[in-house]
C-alpha cells in the first residue's frame, strides 16, 4: 500500500515527489471552485525565504540542493513560479535575524529557517508573527515554549534518538558478526573515542546518550578513552583525532561520531598518521559519508531520506504560500512536527 501524502507508507524514491506534487496541485485547484475559475484565489507565484545556519555544513548543503530540486519540479508540474531566496547566516544569529527581516520586507509568503541558535528562535518568531509569515524550522529545533507560541510554526527533522539507536545498532551487529573487527587487541573490551557536535545542539546531546546506551543495552563490552566537541566540523574532528592518536597509540578501536563530517575528519587524521584497523561510524548519510562506507573507510552511517526531508519542508511551505491546509498533504505530529525516515547503511 502506498500513499501520496508524506508519512506512513510512501511512494518509491523515483516517483515520491510526483505523488506529493500531485496532491498539492489538486489542493490548489480546490481553493476556488476549480482551476482557473477565480482570479481572486489564484496565485501564479510564491516567494520562500530560506536561511541556513551555515552553508558549508555537508548535510545542510544536501538539503539545500534537494529543496532547489523540489522547487524546480513544482514549477514544472504546476506552472507556478517559485522564488527560492536562500541565504547563509555563517553561524551568526544576528545575521540570521537580519535575513529574516529582509525576507519579510520582500513579502515572502513563508520562511524556512535552519536556526543558528535554537534557544534564540524567539527573535525570528517575533518578526514572523508581526509580519504574519509562517515559519518552517528545520534541523535545529526551537524550544517547546517557542514552538507553542503560534499555530503557524512547523518543524522538520529526523529523530535524534532513532539516529543514535540505529548508529549503535551498526556497532552491535558488527560485533555480533565478528568481535575481532572491533576488539582488535583481543582483550574483550572495545576502547572507543567520541566526537560530538555542538554542546548546545539537542541532536548532539541525544545522539551521544543513545548511541552509547544502545551498546550497553546490547551487552557490547565498551570502554571510553576520551571524547571532544568538534562542532559537526570535519577539520575540528581531524585535529582532535590527530591528538588522540598521538596520546593513545595502539589503543583506540572505535570512533563514534555524531555526524558524517566528523567521521570523515577522524578518517583524514588516521590516513595522515598511517593508522588502520580503527572502525568509524557516523550519522547523516551525506554523499561523501556514503562514499566512505562504500569504499570501506567507514564501518557505517545512518542515512536520513534527504529527498523526503526536503520535500516535507517544501510541501509545508508551498501549502502555506498557496493557502492550503497542510494536513491534507503531510502527516504532522501535534499539528506541527515531522520526522523523516532513516536507515542503516553499512
Amino acid at each position: 500500500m502506498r500513499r501520496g501524502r508524506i508519512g506512513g507508507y510512501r511512494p518509491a524514491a523515483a516517483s515520491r515527489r510526483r505523488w506529493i506534487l500531485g496532491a498539492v496541485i489538486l489542493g490548489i485547484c480546490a481553493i476556488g471552485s476549480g482551476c482557473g475559475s477565480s482570479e481572486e484565489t489564484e496565485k501564479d507565484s510564491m516567494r520562500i525565504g530560506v536561511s541556513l545556519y551555515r552553508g558549508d555544513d555537508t548535510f545542510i548543503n544536501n538539503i539545500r540542493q534537494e529543496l532547489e530540486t523540489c522547487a524546480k519540479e513544482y514549477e514544472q508540474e504546476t506552472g507556478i513560479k517559485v522564488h527560492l531566496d536562500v541565504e547563509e547566516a555563517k553561524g551568526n544569529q544576528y545575521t540570521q535575524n537580519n535575513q529574516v527581516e529582509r525576507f519579510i520586507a520582500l513579502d515572502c509568503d513563508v520562511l524556512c529557517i535552519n536556526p543558528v541558535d535554537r534557544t534564540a528562535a524567539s527573535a525570528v518568531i517575533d518578526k514572523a508573527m508581526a509580519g504574519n509569515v509562517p515559519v518552517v524550522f528545520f534541523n535545529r529545533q526551537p524550544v517547546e515554549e517557542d514552538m507553542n507560541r503560534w499555530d503557524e510554526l512547523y518543524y522538520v527533522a529526523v529523530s535524534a534518538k532513532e539516529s543514535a539507536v540505529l548508529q549503535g545498532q551498526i556497532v552491535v551487529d558488527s560485533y555480533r558478526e565478528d568481535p575481532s573487527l572491533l576488539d582488535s587487541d583481543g582483550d574483550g573490551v572495545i576502547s572507543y573515542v567520541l566526537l560530538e557536535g555542538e554542546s548546545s545542539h539537542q541532536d548532539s546531546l541525544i545522539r551521544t546518550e543513545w548511541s552509547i546506551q544502545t551498546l550497553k543495552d546490547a551487552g557490547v563490552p565498551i570502554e571510553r578513552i576520551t571524547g571532544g566537541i568538534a562542532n559537526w566540523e570535519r577539520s575540528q574532528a581531524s585535529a582532535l583525532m590527530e591528538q588522540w592518536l598521538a596520546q593513545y597509540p595502539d589503543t583506540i578501536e572505535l570512533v563514534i561520531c555524531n555526524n558524517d563530517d566528523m567521521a570523515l575528519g577522524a578518517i583524514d587524521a588516521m590516513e595522515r598518521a598511517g593508522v588502520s584497523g580503527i572502525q568509524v561510524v557516523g550519522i547523516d548519510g551525506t554523499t561523501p559519508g556514503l562514499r566512505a562506507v562504500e569504499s570501506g573507510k567507514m564501518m557505517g552511517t545512518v542515512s536520513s531520506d534527504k529527498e523526503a526531508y526536503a520535500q516535507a519542508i517544501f510541501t509545508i511551505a508551498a501549502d502555506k504560500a498557496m493557502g492550503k491546509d497542510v494536513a491534507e498533504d503531510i502527516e504532522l505530529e501535534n499539528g506541527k512536527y515531522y520526522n523523516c525516515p532513516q536507515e542503516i547503511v553499512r
Side-chain angles (χ1 to χ4, degrees), residues 192-235:
Y192 74 93
V193 295
L194 183 65
L195 285 164
E196 302 179 64
E198 293 167 87
S199 58
S200 61
H201 196 302
Q202 77 281 4
D203 282 10
S204 179
L205 302 173
I206 295 170
R207 289 178 183 183
T208 295
E209 176 185 359
W210 283 99
S211 60
I212 301 304
Q213 190 61 49
T214 300
L215 299 181
K216 292 179 179 178
D217 290 345
V220 177
I222 54 175
E223 179 180 47
R224 177 183 168 120
I225 299 173
T226 188
I229 304 294
N231 294 304
W232 310 113
E233 293 187 21
R234 184 168 181 164
S235 59

Side-chain angles (χ1 to χ4, degrees), residues 10-35:
R10 297 171 294 110
S15 61
R16 184 181 307 133
R17 285 200 181 101
R18 289 192 292 272
W19 275 81
I20 296 168
L21 288 176
V24 173
I25 294 165
L26 289 173
I28 292 168
C29 291
I31 293 174
S33 58
C35 283

Side-chain angles (χ1 to χ4, degrees), residues 155-300:
Y155 180 67
V156 175
V158 296
S159 165
K161 181 178 178 180
E162 181 185 28
S163 301
V165 170
L166 291 175
Q167 182 185 58
Q169 195 61 47
I170 293 171
V171 179
V172 171
D173 291 344
S174 297
Y175 180 76
R176 289 174 176 171
E177 291 168 6
D178 182 6
S180 65
L181 181 67
L182 289 154
D183 182 16
S184 57
D185 61 9
D187 67 351
V189 177
I190 300 170
S191 301
Y192 74 93
V193 295
L194 183 65
L195 285 164
E196 302 179 64
E198 293 167 87
S199 58
S200 61
H201 196 302
Q202 77 281 4
D203 282 10
S204 179
L205 302 173
I206 295 170
R207 289 178 183 183
T208 295
E209 176 185 359
W210 283 99
S211 60
I212 301 304
Q213 190 61 49
T214 300
L215 299 181
K216 292 179 179 178
D217 290 345
V220 177
I222 54 175
E223 179 180 47
R224 177 183 168 120
I225 299 173
T226 188
I229 304 294
N231 294 304
W232 310 113
E233 293 187 21
R234 184 168 181 164
S235 59
Q236 292 188 34
S238 182
L240 281 174
M241 189 64 185
E242 186 172 1
Q243 295 174 19
W244 296 340
L245 288 171
Q247 191 173 355
Y248 307 101
D250 304 317
T251 304
I252 302 170
E253 296 171 311
L254 172 66
V255 188
I256 299 173
C257 309
N258 282 171
N259 78 339
D260 283 354
D261 272 3
M262 293 188 294
L264 293 169
I267 292 169
D268 291 341
M270 289 159 51
E271 290 181 340
R272 286 197 305 271
V275 174
S276 61
I278 298 175
Q279 300 302 320
V280 182
V281 286
I283 290 176
D284 281 344
T286 62
T287 301
L290 293 173
R291 284 199 297 262
V293 174
E294 185 177 357
S295 67
K297 293 182 178 182
M298 192 189 304
M299 185 168 69

